[in-house]
Amino acid sequence: MSAAYRCFASCAFGLEAVTARELKDLMLSDIAARDARVYFLADETGIARANLWLRTADRVLLVLAEQTVASFEDLYQLVSSIPWENLLPKDAAFPVTGKCVRSRLMSVRDCQAVSKKAICNRLQGRYHLERLPETGAAYPIDVAIHKDLARITLDMSGEALNRRGYRTWNGEAPLRETLAAALVDLSPWRVGMPLADPCCGTGTLLIEAAMKAARRAPGLTRSFACESFAFMPAGEMKALRQQAQEAYAPQAAMDILGSDIDPQALTLCEKHVRQAGFEGRITARRLDLRELQLQKPQGVFLTNPPYGERLGDKASCQALYRDLGALLRRHPGWRMGIIVSDPAFERFFGRRATQKRRLYNGRLECEFMIF
C-alpha cells in the first residue's frame, strides 16, 4: 500500500499561491503555503506527478522530520529517529547538505557531519554492516536549521525543476523558466489568444507559454532524483511519463510571436525554440519595438524588458519604457503584462497599472504589472 508523505514544493517568494494552485490542479491534498514553500500530502505517484508537471516550483522535497534543536546532541537524536532503512538501501549514497540561519547551531559543516554520522550509525545497525559502501543511487539529504527549527528533507527532484532541458545558454539577464511560467499564468493571456513578447531575448517567456498551450509537462524530457530511489514505483513513474507524452499536443501552440533588436539573443532564441520542439510554432524576428504593429485586434503583450539595475543603462531603459507605453497605445484592444524593478516605471510608461504583484527575479525585488 502506498504511503502518504508530507512534502513541500519550494518556489520563489511571491509565487506561493501560483504553486499552490498547480498542486491543487494535480489533485494533491493538505496544501498550505508559507515563505517560499508550499506543503502538501502525496503518495509516491503523487510525488512523481508533482516533479513532472509543476511549472513554477524549484524543487519537490520530502519532509522527514521537523523539530527544535538546541544542541548537536538534539540534532543527532532527531536525525537518528528517522527510519532511514525504509528509504535508503544498503548501497545508497547519501550526500548531506545544510544551512543554518539565526540558530544556536551555526556551523553548517558540523551540522552536516553530525547528521551524516547519525544516518550512518542507524543504517549500519539495521543492515549489520561495519561500513556503508555508498556505491548506489544518490539520495540527496538536506538539513536546514532556521531559528533553531531543524527540517530534514530528502530532495526528490535532484536538478532544479527550472532545468527543462531546452535552454543551453542564458544570454544576458536571463529569466528563470519557473518565473517565466508564473508570469504566463499571472498574465491576462489564455490559451488560444495571440501572445507577443517585444523584448523576447532568448525566448523563455515564449517557450513557457507554448508549453502551457501544448499541455506539455515541463519535466517531460529530463530525469528526477526520485526515479532512482528504491522505494519509488518505477512502473508507475514510467506510465506517468507515457501519459504526459500522449497529452502533449504541439499543434495547440499558435499565435506566439517574439521580437528583439539583439541579433545574438535572437540566435539563442531560435536555438532554444528548436530544442524545446516548437520550431515553426513560435515566430521570432529582429525588430525594433517602435516599429512593431500587429494586425490582430486583441491579444496580450508579455515581456521582461531590460532593467537599469541589471544592465547598467538606466536612461536607455527609461526610453524603452516610454516605447512600451506607446506600443500598447498603438494596440488599443491589447493588454500588457510586464515585470520591472524600477519603482518609477509607470511614470515613464505613461499610465498606471490596473494590477500589481510583488515578485522576485533572482534576488531583485520586482513588480509584475498588468495594463
Side-chain angles (χ1 to χ4, degrees):
M1 181 178 291
S2 295
Y5 297 96
R6 185 168 181 253
C7 306
F8 69 81
S10 62
C11 61
F13 281 101
L15 295 186
E16 296 90 345
V18 183
T19 301
R21 186 165 61 245
E22 285 194 276
L23 289 165
K24 184 177 180 181
D25 290 343
L26 291 173
M27 308 300 290
L28 299 173
S29 63
D30 284 19
I31 298 167
R34 68 184 75 157
D35 296 336
R37 299 188 303 276
V38 185
Y39 287 86
F40 62 97
L41 283 182
D43 61 9
E44 295 91 341
T45 304
I47 292 172
R49 196 163 68 248
N51 271 300
L52 186 61
W53 282 100
L54 283 175
R55 300 184 184 279
T56 64
D58 296 323
R59 291 181 186 278
V60 174
L61 299 107
L62 192 160
V63 181
L64 301 173
E66 280 186 304
Q67 184 176 303
T68 299
V69 295
S71 66
F72 287 117
E73 177 62 24
D74 289 347
L75 179 61
Y76 180 90
Q77 293 299 330
L78 176 63
V79 177
S80 293
S81 70
I82 298 168
W84 295 104
E85 64 278 6
N86 294 341
L87 302 169
L88 277 59
K90 291 180 181 180
D91 65 345
F94 45 99
V96 179
T97 56
K99 60 183 78 72
C100 302
V101 179
R102 296 201 293 272
S103 300
R104 276 175 277 189
L105 303 183
M106 285 302 295
S107 171
V108 174
R109 181 176 296 180
D110 288 343
C111 289
Q112 289 173 275
V114 167
S115 300
K116 182 83 174 183
K117 181 180 179 181
I119 300 168
C120 285
N121 288 349
R122 172 140 185 163
L123 290 178
Q124 285 170 332
R126 295 302 190 276
Y127 289 134
H128 308 291
L129 295 172
E130 291 185 6
R131 181 178 174 275
L132 297 169
E134 294 200 54
T135 55
Y139 290 69
I141 296 161
D142 185 67
V143 179
I145 307 177
H146 181 248
K147 294 182 180 178
D148 295 334
L149 180 66
R151 184 174 61 249
I152 318 300
T153 57
L154 177 61
D155 184 353
M156 307 300 285
S157 301
E159 214 175 13
L161 295 180
N162 69 291
R163 304 286 187 174
R164 322 282 210 221
Y166 65 78
R167 197 165 80 177
T168 53
W169 184 257
N170 290 330
E172 194 171 12
L175 183 70
R176 182 173 286 196
E177 296 91 330
T178 45
L179 177 57
L183 297 183
V184 170
D185 283 352
L186 292 169
S187 77
W189 180 76
R190 296 295 177 264
V191 174
M193 297 171 61
L195 177 75
D197 182 352
C199 306
C200 71
T202 59
T204 308
L205 276 168
L206 302 174
I207 294 169
E208 291 299 322
M211 289 177 73
K212 182 174 181 177
R215 300 188 299 280
R216 175 172 162 178
L220 188 59
T221 59
R222 55 157 288 172
S223 61
F224 305 98
C226 66
E227 289 178 298
S228 63
F229 292 177
F231 69 93
M232 292 291 287
E236 291 181 34
M237 289 191 289
K238 184 177 180 181
L240 284 175
R241 281 194 178 278
Q242 182 61 36
Q243 292 165 12
Q245 184 63 56
E246 292 170 359
Y248 176 39
Q251 69 277 7
M254 58 183 67
D255 281 338
I256 299 176
L257 168 70
S259 57
D260 207 294
I261 61 170
D262 183 349
Q264 292 181 326
L266 284 172
T267 297
L268 287 174
C269 178
E270 291 169 357
K271 181 179 180 181
H272 294 163
V273 166
R274 184 168 59 253
Q275 291 176 164
F278 291 113
E279 190 172 17
R281 296 288 167 188
I282 295 174
T283 303
R285 54 180 171 160
R286 188 180 181 189
L287 187 67
D288 189 314
L289 68 84
R290 291 173 293 187
E291 301 171 6
L292 180 60
Q293 184 66 55
L294 301 177
Q295 300 307 312
K296 296 288 178 73
Q298 292 182 325
V300 173
F301 293 110
L302 181 62
T303 193
N304 170 44
Y307 309 159
E309 296 89 341
R310 185 177 58 179
L311 299 182
D313 190 352
K314 203 158 191 171
S316 65
C317 286
Q318 291 169 351
L320 175 64
Y321 301 159
R322 293 189 184 96
D323 293 337
L324 285 167
L327 173 67
L328 187 59
R329 288 192 292 275
R330 291 199 303 273
H331 297 79
W334 284 59
R335 300 177 73 185
M336 181 177 288
I338 185 164
I339 184 169
V340 291
S341 66
D342 189 341
F345 174 82
E346 290 165 298
R347 176 160 56 89
F348 297 107
F349 188 81
R351 69 172 75 171
R352 289 195 174 277
T354 54
Q355 293 176 251
K356 294 183 186 179
R357 189 187 191 105
R358 183 174 299 175
L359 298 174
Y360 287 84
N361 189 355
R363 296 187 176 183
L364 187 62
E365 184 177 324
C366 300
E367 278 193 302
F368 182 54
M369 301 184 182
I370 295 175
F371 297 89

PDB file of all heavy atoms in Angstrom, residues 87-109:
ATOM      1  N   LEU A  87      13.882   3.943   3.521  1.00  0.00           N
ATOM      2  CA  LEU A  87      14.084   4.808   2.366  1.00  0.00           C
ATOM      3  C   LEU A  87      15.356   4.473   1.600  1.00  0.00           C
ATOM      4  O   LEU A  87      15.372   4.492   0.371  1.00  0.00           O
ATOM      5  CB  LEU A  87      14.135   6.279   2.810  1.00  0.00           C
ATOM      6  CG  LEU A  87      12.919   6.821   3.550  1.00  0.00           C
ATOM      7  CD1 LEU A  87      13.229   8.187   4.139  1.00  0.00           C
ATOM      8  CD2 LEU A  87      11.724   6.919   2.606  1.00  0.00           C
ATOM      9  N   LEU A  88      16.434   4.208   2.315  1.00  0.00           N
ATOM     10  CA  LEU A  88      17.748   4.038   1.706  1.00  0.00           C
ATOM     11  C   LEU A  88      18.172   2.566   1.713  1.00  0.00           C
ATOM     12  O   LEU A  88      18.206   1.939   2.776  1.00  0.00           O
ATOM     13  CB  LEU A  88      18.809   4.853   2.464  1.00  0.00           C
ATOM     14  CG  LEU A  88      18.958   6.333   2.126  1.00  0.00           C
ATOM     15  CD1 LEU A  88      17.676   7.109   2.351  1.00  0.00           C
ATOM     16  CD2 LEU A  88      20.106   6.945   2.923  1.00  0.00           C
ATOM     17  N   PRO A  89      18.502   2.013   0.565  1.00  0.00           N
ATOM     18  CA  PRO A  89      19.020   0.636   0.529  1.00  0.00           C
ATOM     19  C   PRO A  89      20.463   0.580   1.049  1.00  0.00           C
ATOM     20  O   PRO A  89      21.072   1.606   1.330  1.00  0.00           O
ATOM     21  CB  PRO A  89      18.945   0.279  -0.953  1.00  0.00           C
ATOM     22  CG  PRO A  89      19.039   1.587  -1.669  1.00  0.00           C
ATOM     23  CD  PRO A  89      18.357   2.593  -0.778  1.00  0.00           C
ATOM     24  N   LYS A  90      20.989  -0.636   1.143  1.00  0.00           N
ATOM     25  CA  LYS A  90      22.323  -0.830   1.733  1.00  0.00           C
ATOM     26  C   LYS A  90      23.413  -0.035   1.022  1.00  0.00           C
ATOM     27  O   LYS A  90      24.349   0.457   1.651  1.00  0.00           O
ATOM     28  CB  LYS A  90      22.704  -2.316   1.697  1.00  0.00           C
ATOM     29  CG  LYS A  90      21.889  -3.205   2.616  1.00  0.00           C
ATOM     30  CD  LYS A  90      22.369  -4.651   2.489  1.00  0.00           C
ATOM     31  CE  LYS A  90      21.541  -5.569   3.388  1.00  0.00           C
ATOM     32  NZ  LYS A  90      21.985  -6.976   3.276  1.00  0.00           N
ATOM     33  N   ASP A  91      23.307   0.066  -0.306  1.00  0.00           N
ATOM     34  CA  ASP A  91      24.392   0.697  -1.064  1.00  0.00           C
ATOM     35  C   ASP A  91      24.128   2.163  -1.384  1.00  0.00           C
ATOM     36  O   ASP A  91      24.866   2.783  -2.153  1.00  0.00           O
ATOM     37  CB  ASP A  91      24.615  -0.065  -2.369  1.00  0.00           C
ATOM     38  CG  ASP A  91      23.420   0.008  -3.311  1.00  0.00           C
ATOM     39  OD1 ASP A  91      22.318   0.396  -2.853  1.00  0.00           O
ATOM     40  OD2 ASP A  91      23.573  -0.328  -4.506  1.00  0.00           O
ATOM     41  N   ALA A  92      23.096   2.754  -0.802  1.00  0.00           N
ATOM     42  CA  ALA A  92      22.723   4.138  -1.130  1.00  0.00           C
ATOM     43  C   ALA A  92      23.862   5.112  -0.823  1.00  0.00           C
ATOM     44  O   ALA A  92      24.521   5.022   0.215  1.00  0.00           O
ATOM     45  CB  ALA A  92      21.488   4.546  -0.352  1.00  0.00           C
ATOM     46  N   ALA A  93      24.072   6.047  -1.742  1.00  0.00           N
ATOM     47  CA  ALA A  93      24.928   7.205  -1.445  1.00  0.00           C
ATOM     48  C   ALA A  93      24.010   8.286  -0.888  1.00  0.00           C
ATOM     49  O   ALA A  93      22.899   8.472  -1.384  1.00  0.00           O
ATOM     50  CB  ALA A  93      25.624   7.683  -2.714  1.00  0.00           C
ATOM     51  N   PHE A  94      24.444   8.964   0.158  1.00  0.00           N
ATOM     52  CA  PHE A  94      23.549   9.966   0.752  1.00  0.00           C
ATOM     53  C   PHE A  94      24.331  11.234   1.122  1.00  0.00           C
ATOM     54  O   PHE A  94      24.672  11.467   2.262  1.00  0.00           O
ATOM     55  CB  PHE A  94      22.793   9.399   1.957  1.00  0.00           C
ATOM     56  CG  PHE A  94      23.617   8.607   2.938  1.00  0.00           C
ATOM     57  CD1 PHE A  94      24.090   9.187   4.108  1.00  0.00           C
ATOM     58  CD2 PHE A  94      23.905   7.279   2.697  1.00  0.00           C
ATOM     59  CE1 PHE A  94      24.844   8.449   5.003  1.00  0.00           C
ATOM     60  CE2 PHE A  94      24.652   6.529   3.595  1.00  0.00           C
ATOM     61  CZ  PHE A  94      25.125   7.128   4.748  1.00  0.00           C
ATOM     62  N   PRO A  95      24.598  12.076   0.112  1.00  0.00           N
ATOM     63  CA  PRO A  95      25.241  13.363   0.383  1.00  0.00           C
ATOM     64  C   PRO A  95      24.342  14.226   1.254  1.00  0.00           C
ATOM     65  O   PRO A  95      23.120  14.265   1.056  1.00  0.00           O
ATOM     66  CB  PRO A  95      25.434  13.966  -1.006  1.00  0.00           C
ATOM     67  CG  PRO A  95      24.402  13.294  -1.864  1.00  0.00           C
ATOM     68  CD  PRO A  95      24.252  11.909  -1.313  1.00  0.00           C
ATOM     69  N   VAL A  96      24.928  14.920   2.224  1.00  0.00           N
ATOM     70  CA  VAL A  96      24.167  15.761   3.153  1.00  0.00           C
ATOM     71  C   VAL A  96      24.578  17.210   2.953  1.00  0.00           C
ATOM     72  O   VAL A  96      25.749  17.569   3.115  1.00  0.00           O
ATOM     73  CB  VAL A  96      24.403  15.341   4.612  1.00  0.00           C
ATOM     74  CG1 VAL A  96      23.627  16.254   5.567  1.00  0.00           C
ATOM     75  CG2 VAL A  96      23.999  13.880   4.826  1.00  0.00           C
ATOM     76  N   THR A  97      23.632  18.041   2.577  1.00  0.00           N
ATOM     77  CA  THR A  97      23.864  19.483   2.501  1.00  0.00           C
ATOM     78  C   THR A  97      23.216  20.142   3.717  1.00  0.00           C
ATOM     79  O   THR A  97      22.437  19.513   4.437  1.00  0.00           O
ATOM     80  CB  THR A  97      23.281  20.072   1.215  1.00  0.00           C
ATOM     81  OG1 THR A  97      21.878  19.757   1.144  1.00  0.00           O
ATOM     82  CG2 THR A  97      23.967  19.493  -0.016  1.00  0.00           C
ATOM     83  N   GLY A  98      23.511  21.406   3.938  1.00  0.00           N
ATOM     84  CA  GLY A  98      22.944  22.062   5.113  1.00  0.00           C
ATOM     85  C   GLY A  98      22.942  23.563   5.002  1.00  0.00           C
ATOM     86  O   GLY A  98      23.619  24.150   4.156  1.00  0.00           O
ATOM     87  N   LYS A  99      22.165  24.163   5.871  1.00  0.00           N
ATOM     88  CA  LYS A  99      22.150  25.627   6.004  1.00  0.00           C
ATOM     89  C   LYS A  99      21.667  25.957   7.412  1.00  0.00           C
ATOM     90  O   LYS A  99      20.807  25.247   7.973  1.00  0.00           O
ATOM     91  CB  LYS A  99      21.268  26.275   4.936  1.00  0.00           C
ATOM     92  CG  LYS A  99      19.814  25.851   4.958  1.00  0.00           C
ATOM     93  CD  LYS A  99      19.029  26.493   3.826  1.00  0.00           C
ATOM     94  CE  LYS A  99      19.266  25.832   2.499  1.00  0.00           C
ATOM     95  NZ  LYS A  99      18.642  24.499   2.378  1.00  0.00           N
ATOM     96  N   CYS A 100      22.225  27.003   7.985  1.00  0.00           N
ATOM     97  CA  CYS A 100      21.856  27.443   9.332  1.00  0.00           C
ATOM     98  C   CYS A 100      21.642  28.946   9.311  1.00  0.00           C
ATOM     99  O   CYS A 100      22.503  29.686   8.839  1.00  0.00           O
ATOM    100  CB  CYS A 100      22.953  27.105  10.349  1.00  0.00           C
ATOM    101  SG  CYS A 100      23.365  25.355  10.449  1.00  0.00           S
ATOM    102  N   VAL A 101      20.489  29.396   9.808  1.00  0.00           N
ATOM    103  CA  VAL A 101      20.161  30.824   9.819  1.00  0.00           C
ATOM    104  C   VAL A 101      19.613  31.196  11.188  1.00  0.00           C
ATOM    105  O   VAL A 101      18.631  30.606  11.648  1.00  0.00           O
ATOM    106  CB  VAL A 101      19.119  31.169   8.722  1.00  0.00           C
ATOM    107  CG1 VAL A 101      18.785  32.655   8.762  1.00  0.00           C
ATOM    108  CG2 VAL A 101      19.619  30.754   7.343  1.00  0.00           C
ATOM    109  N   ARG A 102      20.256  32.142  11.837  1.00  0.00           N
ATOM    110  CA  ARG A 102      19.822  32.691  13.129  1.00  0.00           C
ATOM    111  C   ARG A 102      19.485  31.566  14.126  1.00  0.00           C
ATOM    112  O   ARG A 102      18.412  31.554  14.720  1.00  0.00           O
ATOM    113  CB  ARG A 102      18.632  33.632  12.944  1.00  0.00           C
ATOM    114  CG  ARG A 102      18.965  34.874  12.127  1.00  0.00           C
ATOM    115  CD  ARG A 102      17.982  36.001  12.388  1.00  0.00           C
ATOM    116  NE  ARG A 102      16.648  35.712  11.912  1.00  0.00           N
ATOM    117  CZ  ARG A 102      16.215  35.974  10.693  1.00  0.00           C
ATOM    118  NH1 ARG A 102      17.033  36.509   9.806  1.00  0.00           N
ATOM    119  NH2 ARG A 102      14.974  35.712  10.344  1.00  0.00           N
ATOM    120  N   SER A 103      20.406  30.635  14.282  1.00  0.00           N
ATOM    121  CA  SER A 103      20.200  29.495  15.170  1.00  0.00           C
ATOM    122  C   SER A 103      21.395  29.318  16.093  1.00  0.00           C
ATOM    123  O   SER A 103      22.492  29.810  15.815  1.00  0.00           O
ATOM    124  CB  SER A 103      19.995  28.209  14.365  1.00  0.00           C
ATOM    125  OG  SER A 103      18.862  28.315  13.531  1.00  0.00           O
ATOM    126  N   ARG A 104      21.178  28.600  17.188  1.00  0.00           N
ATOM    127  CA  ARG A 104      22.285  28.327  18.100  1.00  0.00           C
ATOM    128  C   ARG A 104      23.340  27.443  17.442  1.00  0.00           C
ATOM    129  O   ARG A 104      24.530  27.566  17.735  1.00  0.00           O
ATOM    130  CB  ARG A 104      21.740  27.673  19.383  1.00  0.00           C
ATOM    131  CG  ARG A 104      21.226  28.680  20.391  1.00  0.00           C
ATOM    132  CD  ARG A 104      20.573  28.017  21.594  1.00  0.00           C
ATOM    133  NE  ARG A 104      19.188  27.654  21.302  1.00  0.00           N
ATOM    134  CZ  ARG A 104      18.324  27.224  22.219  1.00  0.00           C
ATOM    135  NH1 ARG A 104      18.724  27.066  23.483  1.00  0.00           N
ATOM    136  NH2 ARG A 104      17.078  26.949  21.890  1.00  0.00           N
ATOM    137  N   LEU A 105      22.914  26.568  16.571  1.00  0.00           N
ATOM    138  CA  LEU A 105      23.856  25.754  15.801  1.00  0.00           C
ATOM    139  C   LEU A 105      24.157  26.497  14.506  1.00  0.00           C
ATOM    140  O   LEU A 105      23.321  26.540  13.604  1.00  0.00           O
ATOM    141  CB  LEU A 105      23.258  24.379  15.508  1.00  0.00           C
ATOM    142  CG  LEU A 105      22.826  23.547  16.715  1.00  0.00           C
ATOM    143  CD1 LEU A 105      22.325  22.183  16.273  1.00  0.00           C
ATOM    144  CD2 LEU A 105      23.957  23.394  17.705  1.00  0.00           C
ATOM    145  N   MET A 106      25.334  27.109  14.433  1.00  0.00           N
ATOM    146  CA  MET A 106      25.643  27.971  13.304  1.00  0.00           C
ATOM    147  C   MET A 106      26.690  27.393  12.355  1.00  0.00           C
ATOM    148  O   MET A 106      26.934  27.947  11.294  1.00  0.00           O
ATOM    149  CB  MET A 106      26.096  29.347  13.794  1.00  0.00           C
ATOM    150  CG  MET A 106      24.958  30.216  14.306  1.00  0.00           C
ATOM    151  SD  MET A 106      23.657  30.488  13.049  1.00  0.00           S
ATOM    152  CE  MET A 106      24.558  31.420  11.817  1.00  0.00           C
ATOM    153  N   SER A 107      27.329  26.298  12.726  1.00  0.00           N
ATOM    154  CA  SER A 107      28.339  25.694  11.865  1.00  0.00           C
ATOM    155  C   SER A 107      27.678  24.707  10.920  1.00  0.00           C
ATOM    156  O   SER A 107      27.271  23.608  11.332  1.00  0.00           O
ATOM    157  CB  SER A 107      29.417  24.983  12.695  1.00  0.00           C
ATOM    158  OG  SER A 107      30.260  24.230  11.847  1.00  0.00           O
ATOM    159  N   VAL A 108      27.569  25.081   9.673  1.00  0.00           N
ATOM    160  CA  VAL A 108      26.942  24.201   8.687  1.00  0.00           C
ATOM    161  C   VAL A 108      27.730  22.902   8.557  1.00  0.00           C
ATOM    162  O   VAL A 108      27.154  21.812   8.498  1.00  0.00           O
ATOM    163  CB  VAL A 108      26.831  24.918   7.321  1.00  0.00           C
ATOM    164  CG1 VAL A 108      26.317  23.954   6.249  1.00  0.00           C
ATOM    165  CG2 VAL A 108      25.914  26.123   7.415  1.00  0.00           C
ATOM    166  N   ARG A 109      29.039  23.016   8.531  1.00  0.00           N
ATOM    167  CA  ARG A 109      29.873  21.819   8.382  1.00  0.00           C
ATOM    168  C   ARG A 109      29.654  20.842   9.529  1.00  0.00           C
ATOM    169  O   ARG A 109      29.537  19.629   9.314  1.00  0.00           O
ATOM    170  CB  ARG A 109      31.343  22.222   8.294  1.00  0.00           C
ATOM    171  CG  ARG A 109      32.289  21.039   8.117  1.00  0.00           C
ATOM    172  CD  ARG A 109      33.724  21.481   7.947  1.00  0.00           C
ATOM    173  NE  ARG A 109      33.892  22.249   6.725  1.00  0.00           N
ATOM    174  CZ  ARG A 109      35.067  22.758   6.336  1.00  0.00           C
ATOM    175  NH1 ARG A 109      36.144  22.606   7.096  1.00  0.00           N
ATOM    176  NH2 ARG A 109      35.169  23.416   5.212  1.00  0.00           N
TER     177      ARG A 109
END
